[in-house]
Amino acid sequence: MSEMAGHRIETDTLGPVRVPADRYWGAQTQRALENFPIGEERMPVPLVRALGLVKLACAEANMELGVLDRRIGEAIARAAREVAEGRFDDHFPLSVWQTGSGTQTNMNANEVIANRANELLGAPLGSREPVHPNDHVNRGQSSNDTFPTAMHVAAAREVHERLIPALEHALAELAAKADAFSGLIKIGRTHLMDAVPMTLGQEFSAYVQQTACALDRLRAALPRLCELAQGGTAVGTGLNTKRGFGERVVAKLAAWTGLPFTSAPNKFEALAAHDAMVELSGALNVIACSFHKIANDIRLLASGPRCGLAEIRLPANEPGSSIMPGKVNPTQAEALTMVCVRVMGNHTAVTFAGASGHLELNVYKPVIAYSVLQSIRLLADAIRSFTDRCVVGIEADARRLRDYVERSLMLVTALTPHIGYDRAAEIAKKAYAENLTLKEAAVRLGYLTAGEFDAIVRPEKMLGPSD
């Protein structure tokens, strides 16, 4: 290694490369930085930290199996732990748009960890000794098994630490609103047109169930996600590993994270396909569909305040217009629906990428990882924000709800069992055409007396099956 002003010279199998002197990455990372100047999307931080955790587990497993010198292995383990803790996030500069196996990012991790380990052992950055990025940090590994292992670890941790808590929070707050609104009768709507009565609580109960199902779907996808590829090396055979290496690595990852990671039962499938990530993305896609519907409903119910439905009031978080004074918009709902659209788009990318593996390797790993991790983060953040800044503060306009119920023509549905569908329809048409109440139309047509009408048409008795 030689030095120049502000740079050092590192070498790889292709020759010398100038690397910024204060960066812990090495020659292969620098080449990738120069060869893939594509977009602004960098490898996600959760993936980088998961790689640190995987490298730590591999170092410890290799020491236990006697294939890695303890002095070198302990330095690698310390450096890898620092990567896992986020101390070297800024030393992972590579674009998502690189080789489809994630090799450049795996080597980025190997080089950062090797340089930090050498530093800990008193050697300068770029020395490649006593710790070598391939021979020691990458011992018993291939990008083809290490990168997908990190993908699964990162996704599982993000689901458990971000998305599940956000959904559980939303579930609790939506359930609280459903309970609070249980006594408020309103008019339901189908095809955006007036329908029969229900309670506002019943309407919100649908959102509660959608959120509960979101959690169920997410948890159902996790067992396959928790199957890890480590130990398969290049094509799934486990070449260049000691027997039991992959199982040791997985056991350590499970112990450290508290997640039920297991060794993939078939390493060939774990490298060649990413069905578990596609399955998880599918669950995220359904969650996006659910919350797109919930957010749209809430902003429809809040439309107004004077010329819309205005059945509920949303918190006024900020001014809504640069030209219309006093306007307040459903901004949290709009932000959430945009996130949902993005997640749906990500799922399209993941679906195509997952379907496009060739023979023994899927080479769309980085875009799958990026898309899934972005979807998890966006949904978690947006759902929590929507819950805290919108759902919690929703209020019902009881007077407006009552007024709509009293004016609705669809209360006529209660008459059908008594006078038949045709006569009930005639009453509704007459009331609408002549601007009458349903009672007035029924009496004028001679189908019911006022007393009979009042005995039958009782909104509070129309909220479920009869006894």
Side-chain angles (χ1 to χ4, degrees):
M1 181 193 72
S2 60
E3 294 186 2
M4 302 172 60
H7 289 79
R8 65 179 185 272
I9 301 298
E10 288 211 23
T11 60
D12 59 13
T13 57
L14 294 182
V17 181
R18 295 173 72 247
V19 178
D22 61 343
R23 300 291 89 183
Y24 280 75
W25 66 72
Q28 289 200 43
T29 304
Q30 187 63 36
R31 287 189 192 279
L33 196 57
E34 296 168 4
N35 287 335
F36 299 99
I38 305 170
E40 298 178 348
E41 295 82 7
R42 287 171 55 178
M43 279 293 172
V45 167
L47 181 67
V48 168
R49 296 180 182 179
L51 269 172
L53 205 61
V54 172
K55 296 294 179 179
L56 169 58
C58 289
E60 291 201 355
N62 278 324
M63 285 190 285
E64 292 169 4
L65 291 167
V67 297
L68 185 62
D69 174 80
R70 183 153 295 276
R71 175 171 172 267
I72 289 175
E74 288 177 352
I76 291 172
R78 179 175 168 184
R81 185 177 291 108
E82 291 176 350
V83 170
E85 292 170 349
R87 292 181 57 182
F88 287 90
D89 290 350
D90 290 343
H91 296 264
F92 286 80
L94 298 184
S95 170
V96 170
W97 319 113
Q98 54 172 273
T99 186
S101 60
T103 297
Q104 279 81 31
T105 291
N106 181 45
M107 282 307 304
N108 190 171
N110 291 335
E111 291 176 338
V112 168
I113 292 168
N115 270 325
R116 174 57 177 153
N118 282 325
E119 184 178 56
L120 291 170
L121 295 173
L125 298 185
S127 60
R128 296 169 71 87
E129 57 182 19
V131 181
H132 190 281
N134 297 81
D135 296 338
H136 301 121
V137 182
N138 203 57
R139 174 70 61 87
Q141 303 155 60
S142 164
S143 300
N144 298 352
D145 64 344
T146 300
F147 194 86
T149 296
M151 287 166 58
H152 283 221
V153 170
R157 293 181 74 185
E158 288 290 284
V159 165
H160 277 276
E161 295 171 13
R162 293 187 189 275
L163 187 51
I164 286 178
L167 286 167
E168 289 175 335
H169 180 47
L171 179 65
E173 295 299 336
L174 287 166
K177 290 300 176 184
D179 183 64
F181 298 154
S182 62
L184 296 174
I185 301 174
K186 60 161 289 176
I187 287 297
R189 293 178 181 85
T190 58
H191 305 270
L192 291 179
M193 306 299 284
D194 299 348
V196 296
M198 64 189 303
T199 69
L200 187 59
Q202 288 172 326
E203 192 162 40
F204 269 70
S205 76
Y207 312 147
V208 174
Q209 185 62 35
Q210 283 185 283
T211 307
C213 288
L215 282 162
D216 289 345
R217 292 185 179 101
L218 200 55
R219 290 175 175 135
L222 290 176
R224 271 78 61 196
L225 186 68
C226 286
E227 295 177 357
L228 303 183
Q230 201 67 52
T233 62
V235 298
T237 61
L239 178 67
N240 286 354
T241 66
K242 284 282 189 178
R243 192 175 305 278
F245 170 74
E247 289 74 13
R248 285 175 182 262
V249 170
V250 172
K252 292 177 185 298
L253 293 171
W256 295 338
T257 63
L259 297 175
F261 291 122
T262 60
S263 184
N266 187 297
K267 302 298 191 299
F268 304 102
E269 184 272 346
L271 273 59
H274 290 305
D275 294 350
M277 292 290 279
V278 178
E279 180 184 12
L280 174 61
S281 182
L284 300 174
N285 188 59
V286 178
I287 293 169
C289 292
S290 296
F291 276 87
H292 194 277
K293 198 271 184 188
I294 292 168
N296 268 336
D297 277 9
I298 284 176
R299 62 176 168 178
L300 278 173
L301 293 174
S303 61
R306 292 190 174 178
C307 302
L309 297 181
E311 293 185 347
I312 60 175
R313 291 185 289 267
L314 306 184
N317 294 326
E318 63 274 314
S321 174
S322 62
I323 189 172
M324 293 173 279
K327 195 172 191 293
V328 177
N329 295 328
T331 53
Q332 288 296 317
E334 291 170 0
L336 177 54
T337 54
M338 285 192 289
V339 161
C340 292
V341 168
R342 178 67 184 197
V343 172
M344 294 172 197
N346 281 346
H347 182 54
T348 299
V350 171
T351 300
F352 189 89
S356 301
H358 301 126
L359 303 177
E360 278 63 62
L361 190 67
N362 178 291
V363 289
Y364 291 79
K365 300 183 195 303
V367 72
I368 291 173
Y370 180 84
S371 299
V372 169
L373 289 170
Q374 184 187 64
S375 291
I376 295 168
R377 180 62 184 267
L378 287 177
L379 282 173
D381 289 354
I383 289 170
R384 185 170 291 278
S385 183
F386 178 71
T387 302
D388 290 339
R389 296 172 178 84
C390 181
V391 173
V392 169
I394 292 175
E395 298 175 347
D397 189 329
R399 183 198 60 78
R400 178 86 62 153
L401 294 170
R402 187 169 54 250
D403 183 52
Y404 285 156
V405 170
E406 291 172 354
R407 292 164 48 196
S408 174
L409 297 176
M410 290 302 100
L411 297 180
V412 77
T413 306
L415 298 177
T416 301
H418 301 275
I419 63 173
Y421 183 95
D422 292 341
R423 285 185 171 184
E426 188 178 356
I427 291 171
K429 290 179 180 179
K430 183 176 181 67
Y432 181 68
E434 299 180 20
N435 198 26
L436 303 172
T437 66
L438 288 173
K439 184 196 294 187
E440 289 170 339
V443 171
R444 290 190 187 184
L445 287 169
Y447 294 149
L448 293 163
T449 66
E452 289 171 333
F453 182 93
D454 289 339
I456 296 171
V457 182
R458 299 175 60 187
E460 71 277 10
K461 299 293 186 181
M462 300 174 65
L463 304 176
S466 60
D467 295 328

